[in-house]
Amino acid sequence: MVTHQFANIRRQLQLSNTFWDDSTTHGLVDIIATDMRDGTVHDRDGRAIVNFSSYSYLGLDSDPRILAGAHRGLDETGTINSSISRMRIRLSLLEEAEQRLSHTFGAQAVTVSSCAAAAWATLPLLASGELTDGEPPLVVFDKNAHFCLNAMKPLVADETELVTIAHNDIEALEELCRKHSTVAYVADGVYSTGGGAPLAELHRLQDQYGLFLYFDEAHGISTIGRGGRGYVLGAYEGWRERTLVIASLNKGFGASGGVIFFGAPGDDSRKPTLLRTSGPLMWSQRVNTAGLGAIVAACDLHDDGTVDTLQVALRERVHLFDTLVETENAGDGLPIRFVSIGREDVTVAVARDMLEAGFYTSPVFFPIIRRGSAGLRLMLRADLAPDTIRRFADTLSASLAAHQERAEQPA
């Protein structure tokens, strides 16, 4: 019997298609770009659009040193991909990239094609008890955990019991820790709509109850933390046991693919288990050689202080933005902001106004967030000019004022 216990895709489509269609009508999706370097989208109609939806928070996606690393990967290997399981044959460049990541972040690292593939590779393994001394844990999902984590719920539920709690609800999580001998908590480090996990409280539960912490750190890596260690790893020195972190290497890191951090440097005891039981890690699809070369080059920029300098520039841009635009997470030091509007149709209209003024923003609505709470998700970059941020804020203020009366009416 179909229960829709974990998802109801057909219902999601019914509720969201209207607003996707509206976004398409107003040119907010399906934009074809000829060039996207330095945070500016040059489309084939000749427009230059400042991208306020780029995840390249430090502007490393077009850094010539990382591009040179990508060329090096292609030139030295003479292939785009080895096209065979890494368990059987792997390039020395793959070994180099993973060793550099382990050194840079102070944790055992293994690469995979994306952060979503990293979730697929590790969440079922966690649910099986393989990472918790053979005892399948109660797996607790934060309500706001990223889609790529929530998509794994059916596989997790096939191995163990799972529950979902309210966002950052430490009280509910501690109550579950009291009642169950083994608990694992699945959450984002930095959430894609803004804000972060309450790490101090989570570490207290980890120390007191042995809570296993599983984080999606897609938006924190490189963006914050000394040497780009990120929101989670940057919160402490060394490695905390009973922890697993997955991250994107496409966003702040500036390269390609995803990574799994699973242990202290030099401790690769879990690596054979990861490689032998985690589907995406065993397949022939992985970070290609250009991406591996880019990863090595990006590690250079993390290790030589470049990323620390870019973080300072990013913080300055975020602070300036917070003085100009009121948002719930202002002052948190993170580069993601969410401008709450409410009605989906009004949100699309404001995003259209911004596009016409030369700024690209992402209108976010159900099922990304709950119905009736739509708004604009904004990403700030270290390479945004201060005057550009000021012009953006003025344009946004004028658009919101123009649509205020309509926004206050029932949908």
Side-chain angles (χ1 to χ4, degrees):
M1 182 178 70
V2 176
T3 63
H4 295 301
Q5 183 176 356
F6 304 109
N8 187 339
I9 303 301
R10 187 175 183 84
R11 181 59 174 161
Q12 288 180 14
L13 288 171
Q14 290 172 344
L15 293 172
S16 64
N17 267 342
T18 296
F19 305 112
W20 279 117
D21 290 343
D22 197 15
S23 296
T24 302
T25 298
H26 292 295
L28 298 170
V29 298
D30 294 332
I31 294 173
I32 307 299
T34 59
D35 190 325
M36 295 178 64
R37 73 189 73 187
D38 301 324
T40 301
V41 176
H42 298 273
D43 73 4
R44 60 186 180 187
D45 295 324
R47 294 183 300 178
I49 307 163
V50 181
N51 191 355
F52 272 78
S53 292
S54 168
Y55 294 115
S56 184
Y57 304 109
L58 300 180
L60 292 176
D61 57 336
S62 53
D63 188 288
R65 292 163 290 186
I66 292 181
L67 297 180
H71 285 289
R72 175 222 160 189
L74 290 169
D75 292 340
E76 289 190 4
T77 63
T79 182
I80 188 68
N81 201 338
S82 58
S83 301
I84 187 172
S85 170
R86 63 175 289 161
M87 289 291 292
R88 303 189 182 280
I89 303 174
R90 59 185 175 273
L91 290 163
S92 61
L93 185 58
L94 174 61
E95 291 284 286
E96 180 184 356
E98 292 181 349
Q99 288 170 3
R100 289 298 306 276
L101 285 166
S102 296
H103 175 267
T104 296
F105 291 100
Q108 282 291 103
V110 63
T111 56
V112 68
S113 59
S114 68
C115 191
W120 188 354
T122 52
L123 273 174
L125 192 65
L126 172 64
S128 74
E130 188 63 34
L131 306 182
T132 49
D133 304 318
E135 181 178 351
L138 170 72
V139 178
V140 182
F141 282 78
D142 186 286
K143 186 178 184 297
N144 287 10
H146 191 267
F147 174 83
C148 75
L149 303 179
N150 282 312
M152 293 298 105
K153 282 182 175 179
L155 291 179
V156 170
D158 198 43
E159 299 284 344
T160 191
E161 181 183 0
L162 74 83
V163 297
T164 301
I165 61 174
H167 180 48
N168 286 345
D169 192 342
I170 294 295
E171 184 177 342
L173 181 59
E174 183 164 14
E175 183 63 25
L176 291 170
C177 288
R178 293 192 189 102
K179 293 179 178 179
H180 297 265
S181 59
T182 306
V183 178
Y185 179 60
V186 177
D188 293 10
V190 176
Y191 286 85
S192 60
T193 52
L199 291 180
E201 286 296 287
L202 292 172
H203 290 154
R204 178 182 66 81
L205 298 183
Q206 188 178 53
D207 294 339
Q208 186 173 350
Y209 299 100
L211 174 67
F212 193 101
L213 294 175
Y214 182 110
F215 291 109
D216 177 340
E217 180 70 328
H219 298 279
I221 284 293
S222 306
T223 306
I224 57 177
R226 182 173 55 83
R229 276 176 57 88
Y231 184 81
V232 174
L233 297 178
Y236 50 84
E237 294 294 329
W239 175 260
R240 292 183 68 94
E241 294 300 321
R242 299 181 76 80
T243 301
L244 190 145
V245 178
I246 63 173
S248 172
L249 301 178
N250 286 310
K251 296 182 171 64
F253 187 77
S256 183
V259 62
I260 303 165
F261 296 114
F262 59 92
D267 179 10
D268 58 0
S269 57
R270 283 179 172 163
K271 193 169 184 177
T273 298
L274 278 171
L275 295 178
R276 294 170 185 171
T277 60
S278 306
L281 282 171
M282 300 172 65
W283 300 336
S284 61
Q285 295 175 327
R286 69 178 64 81
V287 182
N288 63 32
T289 54
L292 292 174
I295 288 170
V296 174
C299 284
D300 288 340
L301 303 186
H302 285 67
D303 295 344
D304 69 8
T306 298
V307 161
D308 291 315
T309 300
L310 290 172
Q311 284 182 2
V312 173
L314 177 61
R315 287 194 296 270
E316 291 173 350
R317 272 63 174 178
V318 172
H319 175 72
L320 173 61
F321 183 89
D322 285 344
T323 65
L324 301 171
V325 180
E326 183 179 350
T327 61
E328 180 180 353
N329 292 314
D332 68 358
L334 302 174
I336 302 173
R337 291 291 177 262
F338 184 76
V339 178
S340 180
I341 296 175
R343 284 183 47 168
E344 286 83 356
D345 56 342
V346 177
T347 298
V348 170
V350 173
R352 178 199 60 211
D353 290 348
M354 300 305 295
L355 182 60
E356 290 176 350
F359 302 106
Y360 187 80
T361 61
S362 294
V364 179
F365 39 79
F366 182 85
I368 300 172
I369 54 177
R370 68 180 184 275
R371 294 174 66 191
S373 60
L376 300 181
R377 182 170 60 189
L378 309 175
M379 288 76 169
L380 301 173
R381 293 169 54 115
D383 55 359
L384 280 170
D387 284 346
T388 298
I389 295 174
R390 294 187 184 96
R391 287 192 297 107
F392 177 91
D394 289 343
T395 305
L396 178 63
S397 177
S399 177
L400 290 172
H403 294 286
Q404 182 176 6
E405 182 177 350
R406 182 180 168 200
E408 293 174 349
Q409 297 174 353

